Amino acid sequence: MSLANGPKTLAIPGPSMVPDRVLRAMHKPSPNIYHGPLIDLTHSLIPDLKAVARTEHDATIYIGNGHAAWEAVLANTHSRGDLVLVPRTGSFADGWAELARGLGLRVEMIDFGNRDPIDAAAIGERLREDKSHEIRSVLAVHVDTSSSIRSDIAALRREIDAAGHPALLQVDCMASMACDRFEMDEWGADTAIAGCQKGLMTPTGVCFVFYNDRASRARERADCVTGYWDWVPRTRPEIYFRYFGGTGPTHHLYGLREALDMIVHEEGVENVWTRHARVASAVHAAFDAWEAGENTALELNVRDPASRSHAVTAIRLPGRATELRNWVEEEMGLTLGIGVGMAAPDTPEWHGFFRIGHMGHLSGHSILGTLGTIDTALKALGIPHGTGALDRAARALAG
Ligand SMILES: *Cc1c(COP(=O)(O)O)cnc(C)c1O
């Protein structure tokens, strides 16, 4: 008998659960886009987005998903033929690199595998070899959502500076923003990108590019940029429609306003990070217990606790992950994330990975439901696992 009736939980790493408040805020008739409240509402989003990215510099909103933000930031900072250095810790680096190649950039990738963070010293070493400063940017993914590895962005900045290298530090914060601590200005990122559908709790549809003065200077020589992607008219628009290069994403703006009220004005960005850290500690504690069992093949993908994201957790369960995902969805109403980038989709190995999204609108009660459901699936399916996981998770949440 299925126990899937009742509210469903979506625990995939994006899109994340949208709060009812955000959905209600979007349930409005279409507004006037030439004058009236929508104009002020749009202006009000900018300082709050900057508060989330922890920057005093500029912020631009594009209609689009994360791929749009990837392309936007590259187009504004590069010319055809530029060389970019991509440290890889999972398949999202591959995705960004592919768009870079599509724009006519040359890509050099340094692969750190699927289980360890970026080794900043290795990047510093490569930059020191680049005496003619051919490398124009380092494209770093803060949290790679496929592997759930979090890399140290401040350490990358220190290495770039120590090498005396002028490359821009461009950071993909799609998965991490408003989940894992990220400090754009303090850590010395020149640009950061994010989307609204993960930590920012709004249905997929708008994305953000944050950029500082060094990135603005790169914009002056960039020949990849085209009219639509140009961040200049969007950042300080002399007429409203230039914010979006056309009609604004009206209802997304309503939703985002509500989400930013929750994050910036009610809970506070630092408290949001702390909540995610606590929730993630419960996930890690549960897996520590499950992994400790006899003959168990369950394993957290990221071995070093300091490099585990607070937004998403990738798990290895050779041969049985798909079965577990299907069971929790059909029998319990919980949707977990598929494994991405760990094995080719048409191979048996592909069925050995899954992910838990724990980003955005998520409470302690909700993560206990997810962990309890996984524990139930392990029992129902006879998958070997250690005991006491839920006890460990409860202790982690109790603090
Ligand atoms: C989700 C995600 C993206 C891509 O976002 P889309 O909205 O799917 O285009 C890029 N980078 C990271 C790290 C992500 O988590």
Side-chain angles (χ1 to χ4, degrees):
M1 184 197 129
S2 169
L3 301 173
N5 280 318
K8 304 262 190 275
T9 295
L10 184 70
I12 67 176
S16 63
M17 299 276 276
V18 178
D20 286 346
R21 273 178 66 180
V22 170
L23 292 173
R24 277 198 298 274
M26 297 176 79
H27 195 101
K28 282 199 178 74
S30 287
N32 188 340
I33 58 165
Y34 301 108
H35 59 84
L38 184 73
I39 314 296
D40 290 337
L41 182 149
T42 307
H43 294 315
S44 78
L45 299 172
I46 304 295
D48 288 346
L49 287 168
K50 293 188 340 185
V52 176
R54 311 283 271 196
T55 184
E56 300 283 309
H57 295 286
D58 282 315
T60 313
I61 308 175
Y62 290 87
I63 298 174
N65 56 18
H67 282 67
W70 270 342
E71 183 140 329
V73 77
L74 293 176
N76 278 282
T77 51
H78 287 293
S79 292
R80 286 177 179 73
D82 279 3
L83 179 63
V84 295
L85 184 62
V86 181
R88 182 191 183 284
T89 59
S91 55
F92 285 81
D94 300 331
W96 203 3
E98 191 184 314
L99 289 189
R101 286 189 202 96
L103 284 167
L105 311 186
R106 288 177 299 137
V107 174
E108 180 178 322
M109 192 172 269
I110 301 185
D111 191 357
F112 297 99
N114 287 330
R115 305 195 73 175
D116 296 298
I118 298 170
D119 175 359
I123 298 302
E125 204 172 304
R126 176 63 190 96
L127 293 174
R128 265 184 281 276
E129 286 167 9
D130 180 36
K131 300 268 189 277
S132 60
H133 296 168
E134 228 194 318
I135 295 168
R136 291 270 180 180
S137 285
V138 176
L139 307 183
V141 179
H142 184 210
V143 166
D144 196 300
T145 319
S146 62
S147 59
S148 69
I149 295 164
R150 184 182 57 222
S151 291
D152 184 344
I153 300 301
L156 275 175
R157 166 51 65 195
R158 285 193 296 275
E159 288 290 340
I160 295 172
D161 289 351
H165 199 289
L168 293 177
L169 176 56
Q170 312 221 46
V171 187
D172 173 349
C173 296
M174 281 294 297
S176 55
M177 195 161 287
C179 301
D180 283 280
R181 181 178 208 99
F182 175 75
E183 302 272 5
M184 173 164 159
D185 291 354
E186 192 186 316
W187 294 355
D190 295 304
T191 70
I193 60 158
C196 67
Q197 78 267 31
K198 297 185 183 179
L200 292 170
M201 314 189 296
T202 303
T204 318
V206 292
C207 61
F208 317 104
V209 175
F210 302 91
Y211 62 97
N212 70 10
D213 305 344
R214 296 182 70 233
S216 281
R217 286 196 290 281
R219 163 67 191 78
E220 287 162 21
R221 67 170 280 285
D223 75 9
C224 288
V225 72
T226 53
Y228 184 77
W229 295 110
D230 194 352
W231 66 34
V232 174
R234 290 169 174 265
T235 306
R236 288 180 191 77
E238 78 282 14
I239 23 175
Y240 180 74
F241 85 89
R242 293 235 179 252
Y243 256 120
F244 304 104
T247 306
T250 50
H251 289 67
H252 276 80
L253 301 176
Y254 293 138
L256 188 61
R257 180 61 273 159
E258 191 73 16
L260 288 170
D261 281 346
M262 294 170 75
I263 293 168
V264 178
H265 299 293
E266 295 170 22
E267 190 174 0
V269 177
E270 304 210 2
N271 292 331
V272 170
W273 292 336
T274 307
R275 171 167 53 83
H276 281 82
R278 186 66 73 80
V279 162
S281 74
V283 176
H284 302 156
F287 276 92
D288 284 345
W290 283 324
E291 283 180 21
E294 300 259 318
N295 307 320
T296 173
L298 258 180
E299 197 189 350
L300 286 173
N301 182 55
V302 184
R303 288 163 290 213
D304 171 17
S307 303
R308 292 176 188 158
S309 169
H310 297 161
V312 52
T313 297
I315 292 129
R316 300 173 163 250
L317 179 58
R320 310 213 49 189
T322 302
E323 197 185 341
L324 181 138
R325 271 195 308 102
N326 289 341
W327 192 90
V328 299
E329 185 156 54
E330 284 155 24
E331 303 296 328
M332 301 285 277
L334 167 68
T335 304
L336 295 170
I338 59 170
V340 165
M342 297 299 204
D346 44 8
T347 59
E349 289 71 36
W350 188 85
H351 298 285
F353 302 91
F354 71 97
R355 293 174 302 160
I356 304 173
H358 36 94
M359 47 177 54
H361 192 52
L362 191 70
S363 61
H365 144 264
S366 173
I367 200 66
L368 284 175
T370 294
L371 295 171
T373 301
I374 293 172
D375 198 59
T376 309
L378 295 172
K379 292 174 169 55
L381 299 173
I383 297 172
H385 61 283
T387 56
L390 299 179
D391 188 58
R392 293 281 299 276
R395 283 175 204 282
L397 292 177

